[in-house]
Amino acid sequence: PDRTTILGAAKLSGKITNSWSFAALTAVTDREYGEVDSAGVRFKEEVEPRSLYGVVRTQKEFNEARQAIGMIGSIVERGVNNEQLRGIVNDRAASVGIDGWSFLDRDRVWVLTGWAGASYVSGSRERMLDLQRSAVHFFQRPDAAYLSIDPNATSLTGWASRVWLDKVTGNWIFNAAIGAINPKF
C-alpha cells in the first residue's frame, strides 16, 4: 500500500485565556497488508501495525508575552503482532518536554531561551539493537568508551537540553548556546 488508513483522528486547539494556549492531536491508523512474492508464492503480509499517535502542547505567556513557559508530550503505541515487523518498528515511544523564553530588557532586544526533554522507546531486542547501532545513536563508535551496546535492551530512555542567549534586533545580531544530548535520546 502507498498509505496507511486513518481510522479516526481528532484535533483540538485554541486559546484557553489570553495567555494560555492548548493543542492536542491524536490519530489511530489501521493495519496495512502488502502483497509479497517469495519464490513465486504470493501472500499477504502485515507491513504496518494498528497504531495510535498523539501529541499535546500547552503554553502560558506572562508579562505581555515577555516570558513564556510551555510543555509538550507525545506518544506512539503500536499493536505489533507480526514477529518480522516487530524487528523493524518500535512497540511504543513517548517524549515530554518543557521550554520557555524570557526577554531580558524592556525593548525586547535580548532573549534567553531554553528547553529540556526526555524520551522513551521500547521494542524487541532486535529492534533496540538496531536502534543502538543506528546513525542517530551510534553506540559502537570508537571514540565513546562511555557507551556500549546492550544486546538485551528492550527500551531506551534519554534526555536532552539546550539554553541560548540571543540579541534579536538592531544592526547586529548575536547567538550563544550550550546544550547536551544523551545518546539514548
Side-chain angles (χ1 to χ4, degrees), residues 115-161:
W115 64 267
S119 66
Y120 170 83
V121 63
S122 68
S124 68
R125 286 182 180 153
E126 178 185 12
R127 175 64 188 135
M128 291 301 104
L129 187 58
D130 285 348
L131 196 56
Q132 291 174 77
R133 290 179 175 158
S134 74
V136 173
H137 301 282
F138 206 41
F139 281 25
Q140 72 276 18
R141 68 181 187 258
D143 67 329
Y146 61 93
L147 287 175
S148 62
I149 292 175
D150 180 357
N152 297 312
T154 56
S155 67
L156 294 175
T157 302
W159 56 267
S161 183

Side-chain angles (χ1 to χ4, degrees), residues 36-67:
V36 178
D37 185 331
S38 178
V41 177
R42 288 176 130 3
F43 57 94
K44 293 260 186 188
E45 183 78 60
E46 185 180 349
V47 295
E48 180 69 27
R50 181 167 290 139
S51 302
L52 166 75
Y53 300 89
V55 63
V56 64
R57 166 82 170 150
T58 187
Q59 181 176 291
K60 168 77 170 151
E61 294 178 352
F62 303 93
N63 194 15
E64 298 176 349
R66 292 184 178 282
Q67 293 94 22

Side-chain angles (χ1 to χ4, degrees), residues 57-112:
R57 166 82 170 150
T58 187
Q59 181 176 291
K60 168 77 170 151
E61 294 178 352
F62 303 93
N63 194 15
E64 298 176 349
R66 292 184 178 282
Q67 293 94 22
I69 189 164
M71 292 175 281
I72 191 166
S74 68
I75 188 166
V76 176
E77 183 76 34
R78 293 187 175 101
V80 182
N81 293 334
N82 177 314
E83 283 305 312
Q84 290 178 337
L85 198 54
R86 186 175 302 275
I88 59 173
V89 298
N90 304 324
D91 291 339
R92 73 183 44 87
S95 64
V96 294
I98 187 169
D99 68 319
W101 78 81
S102 181
F103 283 97
L104 302 176
D105 60 322
R106 192 185 78 216
D107 296 328
R108 298 184 188 208
V109 174
W110 291 91
V111 61
L112 183 66

